[in-house]
Amino acid sequence: MRFLATIGFITLLPLIVFLGMKVFQSKVPDLPPQIVLTLDLGESFPESPALKGIQQILTGPTTTFFDLLRTLSAAELDPKVKGIVLRVNDLAIGLAQLEELRSALMVFRKNGKFVFVYADTFGDLSPGVTKYYLASCADQIWMQPFSSLNLTGMQVDQPFFGKVLKQFGVLPQISTRKEYKNAYASLTDSEASDANKEATTNLLQRLHDKLMADITAGRELSSTALQEVMRDNPMMSDKDAKTNHLIDRLGYIDEFKQAALDKASVGGTAPSSTDKKDPKNAPAFVSIHYYSALVGEALAPQEEKIALIYGVGAIMQDDK
């Protein structure tokens, strides 16, 4: 009997969860009249949604990277949304996604919304270039006092196991096409070849030039001034970062949040007397996940529809 009861419970579990989600959605409260979206980039935003069924029930709703961009596009048209605040401590997305998100945030700003960024640090014991690259599109960049900003450039780590494998009698049987095909060089070579160094250096230089150009444009700096800072003081203190106009404010997270709420108030000033009398009219923070699930799809433009097909995985030489 216990076995049959267990089977019955497992069978009914998806239906119970589905009905529970419907009840929850029917009781979702209205959004505040003035909204400041919140986004923590320490969270992951997968390219494709979770599989439906039991996996979706166990993992819960997933905000994909496409959902994130679509939600920002929808928020641009929503008069309730005044701006967005981002935390950029530990980035869980790659450089390609950072570039796409940065472009979306710049469009978000052009539609009259503000973007505030907060980081506990842009460095300490690690490079801060990629985090700062995203932050450079914001209206205001905040950093916690007594931290540092490290603009130490780009780097690539390439381990080579060819010599070690040879000592153990392992000889990889790999064929390559010309000298610039270095996909398996870490298994066959003991050090970087001249062609490998050339290709890697060119790639890094292009990435570096792209990031520096966007940073100087975003912060309204000259390329010469930024290059001098990176050359003379690449690991700068909080005060040096502010002096060099690389950050706008030094403060703690509670001060940052209050400044964002003040910005969302009428004209970016302190909350009006009306807001003080009626807290329901005051700006409030709303998670971008919550906003996306509630109104993101409804606010997205519907004039044209484009099908999105996810191609995730290795590229194989096959016709299937």
Side-chain angles (χ1 to χ4, degrees):
M1 292 295 294
R2 290 184 178 179
F3 175 76
L4 294 177
T6 302
I7 294 298
F9 175 76
I10 294 175
T11 304
L12 293 175
L13 179 60
L15 178 60
I16 295 172
V17 173
F18 175 78
L19 293 176
M21 292 176 63
K22 287 296 183 182
V23 172
F24 171 77
Q25 291 174 358
S26 64
K27 296 182 178 180
V28 170
D30 293 333
L31 288 168
Q34 297 186 86
I35 296 170
V36 178
L37 297 175
T38 63
L39 173 60
D40 187 347
L41 290 176
E43 303 173 2
S44 61
F45 294 88
E47 290 288 355
S48 58
L51 297 177
K52 295 184 178 180
I54 190 66
Q55 180 181 354
Q56 192 175 40
I57 293 173
L58 295 176
T59 59
T62 301
T63 303
T64 65
F65 188 70
F66 175 74
D67 292 334
L68 175 61
L69 298 180
R70 183 182 61 177
T71 301
L72 285 174
S73 296
E76 297 166 12
L77 309 176
D78 188 352
K80 290 184 177 182
V81 177
K82 306 303 179 183
I84 186 171
V85 295
L86 295 87
R87 294 200 68 174
V88 293
N89 290 330
D90 299 315
L91 297 181
I93 62 178
L95 186 56
Q97 289 181 322
L98 282 178
E99 181 181 1
E100 195 167 1
L101 176 59
R102 189 180 186 277
S103 298
L105 289 171
M106 292 181 67
V107 175
F108 184 80
R109 282 187 60 188
K110 290 180 180 179
N111 280 273
K113 319 293 183 177
F114 68 84
V115 177
F116 281 12
V117 171
Y118 186 89
D120 295 341
T121 177
F122 283 102
D124 284 345
L125 300 178
S126 61
V129 174
T130 53
K131 290 195 292 186
Y132 188 77
Y133 166 69
L134 176 66
S136 64
C137 73
D139 296 88
Q140 289 187 18
I141 303 176
W142 286 59
M143 190 168 70
Q144 183 174 282
F146 308 107
S147 55
S148 63
L149 194 158
N150 295 352
L151 294 181
T152 52
M154 308 290 291
Q155 70 177 44
V156 168
D157 295 324
Q158 287 186 316
F160 292 95
F161 303 101
K163 187 175 181 179
V164 175
L165 293 177
K166 187 175 181 179
Q167 290 177 345
F168 284 95
V170 178
L171 299 177
Q173 302 296 315
I174 299 172
S175 59
T176 59
R177 299 180 182 179
K178 302 298 182 179
E179 64 274 15
Y180 289 99
K181 296 295 183 178
N182 299 308
Y184 299 101
S186 61
L187 299 176
T188 59
D189 299 350
S190 300
E191 60 182 14
S193 65
D194 292 339
N196 190 337
K197 293 178 182 178
E198 180 186 350
T200 303
T201 300
N202 287 339
L203 175 61
L204 283 179
Q205 189 63 54
R206 289 175 179 270
L207 288 175
H208 178 271
D209 293 345
K210 166 64 176 175
L211 268 58
M212 294 305 105
D214 288 347
I215 288 174
T216 54
R219 295 298 296 173
E220 297 182 352
L221 298 169
S222 68
S223 59
T224 302
L226 183 61
Q227 290 173 4
E228 289 178 353
V229 169
M230 294 183 66
R231 181 194 63 205
D232 300 334
N233 192 13
M235 302 177 69
M236 66 195 77
S237 66
D238 54 350
K239 294 181 180 179
D240 289 340
K242 193 171 186 301
T243 301
N244 289 314
H245 307 290
L246 295 174
I247 64 171
D248 300 294
R249 298 280 298 273
L250 293 173
Y252 295 98
I253 187 64
D254 58 330
E255 299 172 301
F256 169 75
K257 290 181 177 180
Q258 186 58 53
L261 292 178
D262 291 345
K263 177 70 174 178
S265 299
V266 180
T269 60
S272 64
S273 58
T274 304
D275 293 337
K276 292 179 180 179
K277 293 179 181 179
D278 187 3
K280 293 182 180 180
N281 293 327
F285 292 115
V286 174
S287 166
I288 200 165
H289 300 283
Y290 181 83
Y291 182 84
S292 176
L294 193 60
V295 298
E297 185 173 358
L299 288 175
Q302 300 295 330
E303 290 80 7
E304 298 180 358
K305 294 184 178 180
I306 300 176
L308 177 63
I309 301 175
Y310 291 96
V312 180
I315 299 176
M316 308 299 291
Q317 293 184 344
D318 200 340
D319 58 355
K320 295 181 180 180

